[in-house]
Amino acid sequence: MNLDFSEEQKALKDQVRRFLDARCTPAAVRAVLEGPQPFDRALYEGLAALGVLGAAIPEEYGGVGLSHLELCVVAEELGRALAPVPAASSIYLAAEFLLQAGTEAQKRAWLPLLASGKAVATFAFAEGQGRMTPDKVQAVVADGRLSGVKSPVPDGDAADMAVVLARSGGSGAGALSLFVVDLAGPGVSRETLSTIDPTRSQARITFDGAPAEPLGGSGDGWHITTQVMDRAAILMAFEQVGGADRALEMARDYALDRMAFGRPIGSFQAIKHMLADMYVSATLARSNCYYAAWALASGAVELPVAAATARVSATTAFQHCAKNNIQVHGGMGFTWAFDCHLFYRRSNALALALGSLSTWESLLIERMSAGNINAAA
């Protein structure tokens, strides 16, 4: 089994990296961090023109028609550059929901806009802190009108459309359905939340009788959400691996250049051990991500376990590498002037995206336990 990317996919990786090196410098990331805009719209439109946003969207809906493996390659480079764009919300989540469950009319209405970067979309899932379960969903749709509060919603302050998980009657997972809501329509109010990483904004969205269009079958909401979240978790894990690798490179380069007592600090044993630990965690995460990418592309039955494994290992690796990058830089690493904090912010923001680390650890244990029970039976 060859889990490496093909030469064509590696060429795509190089192309996207060159584009981001030129257009997504640390100064560009800081401009969003310190400015009023929720994301870098010019960069987002440039990625769309490059075909990045539509990589896994079929050509008949305005995309490029590649596979999810190419999207994994793209995700890694977006993570490496800390790209301040709503690709995860629009492409990993909303576009996937449309591809998985949307009607032909819904696909033709929204997918070309998402692939071209002319629209931003999101998935309104969470309702407060803690692990989301079917019983925690309080948003409700009655007579085609949605009421409830969703928070936090990734890129919810900038999104034009939201896929919303809401209760359509009854209790339990079977009472949950998905709906498409035009966020520019009536009955929608939004509030931007203060977070550790403003370059990936979060919002609280209040729905008060907002028109809601069904997406997928009635009562299929939780089942479809689980499938799409697993797929998004793999793509998010590639972003985290990209960020971890870049943090490791920053720490290595600084350790080789910074002199103390007449020698590079990278020659000191403590720094060597720190860098070695960072390398091990990043490499282990990459291995798990490659396995998950294979499961995603092949539709393997191992996908749920592979997704949770990749998510857990990549979250741990990015947080570990981002934190130790600051430590290698010493006192200067804690200052605003150095770029270390940009990676630390993003590592913690992504650790909460799609559910916290503890949530995915629990999912991994549950799925592995279920697999062992089935195997024993």
Side-chain angles (χ1 to χ4, degrees):
M1 181 186 298
N2 181 10
L3 298 181
D4 197 6
F5 291 113
S6 67
E7 292 304 316
E8 291 79 9
Q9 289 158 351
K10 291 177 181 177
L12 172 63
K13 179 187 183 76
D14 291 340
Q15 181 186 22
V16 176
R17 180 172 297 187
R18 289 195 301 271
F19 175 85
L20 291 171
D21 283 346
R23 300 280 295 274
C24 188
T25 61
V29 178
R30 285 175 177 268
V32 176
L33 175 68
E34 300 170 3
Q37 299 302 318
F39 68 98
D40 188 332
R41 189 170 293 277
L43 175 63
Y44 199 57
E45 292 173 351
L47 289 168
L50 195 63
V52 165
L53 302 184
I57 295 176
E59 292 181 76
E60 60 263 35
Y61 302 122
V64 182
L66 301 176
S67 73
H68 282 88
L69 285 179
E70 283 77 19
L71 195 52
C72 288
V73 168
V74 167
E76 181 179 343
E77 294 307 312
L78 293 176
R80 175 186 173 87
L82 302 182
V85 294
S89 304
S90 297
I91 306 304
Y92 308 168
L93 289 167
E96 280 296 315
F97 275 109
L98 290 167
L99 289 170
Q100 291 287 320
T103 63
E104 189 66 17
Q106 289 169 335
K107 292 176 183 178
R108 293 197 177 279
W110 288 106
L111 287 177
L113 295 176
L114 297 179
S116 65
K118 295 179 180 178
V120 173
T122 188
F123 176 44
F125 176 59
E127 296 186 19
Q129 298 179 345
R131 179 178 176 179
M132 280 297 294
T133 62
D135 291 337
K136 288 188 69 173
V137 178
Q138 298 300 311
V140 61
V141 171
D143 298 324
R145 300 283 176 170
L146 170 65
S147 297
V149 178
K150 291 289 185 176
S151 177
V153 180
D155 300 301
D157 52 348
D160 303 289
M161 180 271 278
V163 175
V164 183
L165 180 69
R167 191 167 301 283
S168 53
S171 60
L176 302 180
S177 302
L178 293 167
F179 300 88
V180 172
V181 179
D182 185 344
L183 297 181
V188 178
S189 60
R190 298 184 261 188
E191 174 191 355
T192 301
L193 301 176
S194 177
T195 68
I196 191 172
D197 185 9
T199 67
R200 296 292 283 269
S201 65
Q202 303 282 341
R204 176 184 293 108
I205 304 182
T206 301
F207 300 99
D208 185 10
E213 180 183 339
L215 177 72
S218 178
D220 290 340
W222 190 259
H223 174 67
I224 298 171
T225 295
T226 300
Q227 292 182 322
V228 172
M229 291 287 272
D230 281 347
R231 301 165 80 86
I234 296 171
L235 296 165
M236 189 73 74
F238 270 94
E239 277 202 25
Q240 292 170 301
V241 164
D245 274 357
R246 183 64 191 120
L248 171 58
E249 291 174 8
M250 289 174 63
R252 177 204 62 196
D253 293 346
Y254 186 80
L256 292 175
D257 290 341
R258 179 72 167 90
M259 303 294 290
F261 306 105
R263 53 195 279 201
I265 65 170
S267 65
F268 299 137
Q269 189 176 51
I271 301 295
K272 288 181 179 179
H273 287 179
M274 195 176 297
L275 292 171
D277 287 344
M278 294 167 70
Y279 176 79
V280 169
S281 63
T283 302
L284 177 60
R286 178 174 296 278
S287 176
N288 285 319
C289 284
Y290 276 30
Y291 176 61
W294 165 80
L296 175 60
S298 63
V301 295
E302 297 96 334
L303 176 59
V305 170
T309 302
R311 173 67 174 158
V312 169
S313 61
T315 298
T316 302
F318 193 11
Q319 288 190 300
H320 176 70
C321 290
K323 180 182 70 174
N324 278 6
N325 181 34
I326 294 176
Q327 296 295 329
V328 169
H329 279 75
M332 290 298 293
F334 289 86
T335 66
W336 191 268
F338 274 53
D339 295 328
C340 303
H341 69 94
L342 300 178
F343 288 84
Y344 186 74
R345 289 171 182 273
R346 182 62 62 85
S347 72
N348 284 284
L350 294 188
L352 296 175
L354 308 178
S356 67
L357 176 60
S358 62
T359 293
W360 285 96
E361 288 173 333
S362 297
L363 284 171
L364 178 57
I365 293 171
E366 291 165 10
R367 292 170 179 182
M368 292 184 69
S369 299
N372 290 336
I373 292 173
N374 292 335

